[in-house]
Amino acid sequence: MTIRSSHAAIAVLAVAVAAAGVGGTISYGKLSEARAGGAEAWHDLTQIHAARARLGSTALEGAARAGGLDPAFIDQARTSLVRATALPTNSGVLNDPEAVDNYKRYQGELTGVLYRLAGTRGAPELETVSSLKELRGKLPQDELALADARSRYGKSAEGYNALVGTFPGAAVAAVTGYRPLPAGL
């Protein structure tokens, strides 16, 4: 190999390393931005669930004091509230598929309980519970807000997962410890 060809090889290698560095930096920025979008939508989702659970708890206790509810339903509802609110909600949960599955399952269970509670009619004493009336009006609004947060999360997760699954994003993700986000919430 001549000195000239050695210099040319070194120059080509330097350009390749520089391009990989720039590509890695751009990929890291894109990965971070996409991951942040997913984390923000997750945060919004958990905040809506938390507010809904607080209102549901207040409505349940008010309705329980007023009377007219089946005691077994009250126990079931309290258990659902405890399970749904005891789960961690920080964005680190997104790295644990089992925790995400539990979150979805318990929030779904709580949704059913809250709709059953909101649909409770007939007992005159229940009609005086203001938090129950508020729950009836708020649940449909919350469902719209949750659908929006889920949609935003899904789009962010899809974009992020596409970056993590292709080069150079996959290489950057391997080095930084970024893992794919759960697809559906």
Side-chain angles (χ1 to χ4, degrees), residues 7-130:
H7 287 301
I10 290 171
V12 168
L13 182 59
V15 167
V17 168
V22 169
T25 302
I26 291 169
S27 290
Y28 180 75
K30 286 182 179 179
L31 280 172
S32 296
E33 186 178 314
R35 177 108 182 159
E40 183 180 317
W42 168 259
H43 175 76
D44 292 349
L45 190 79
T46 61
Q47 293 304 302
I48 296 164
H49 279 139
R52 187 177 71 158
R54 284 189 298 273
L55 178 57
S57 179
T58 302
L60 177 66
E61 294 312 316
R65 279 191 305 276
L69 286 180
D70 177 16
F73 171 70
I74 293 171
D75 289 341
Q76 175 195 8
R78 285 180 178 147
T79 299
S80 291
L81 279 160
V82 167
R83 277 199 293 232
T85 57
L87 297 170
T89 58
N90 62 37
S91 62
V93 169
L94 297 173
N95 293 324
D96 183 353
E98 185 178 343
V100 171
D101 287 344
N102 286 337
Y103 186 86
K104 290 185 326 188
R105 181 175 52 253
Y106 294 146
Q107 289 301 331
E109 178 183 294
L110 181 58
T111 296
V113 165
L114 293 177
Y115 270 97
R116 183 173 167 202
L117 176 62
T120 307
R121 305 253 188 225
E125 56 273 14
L126 290 177
E127 298 307 315
T128 65
V129 179
S130 62

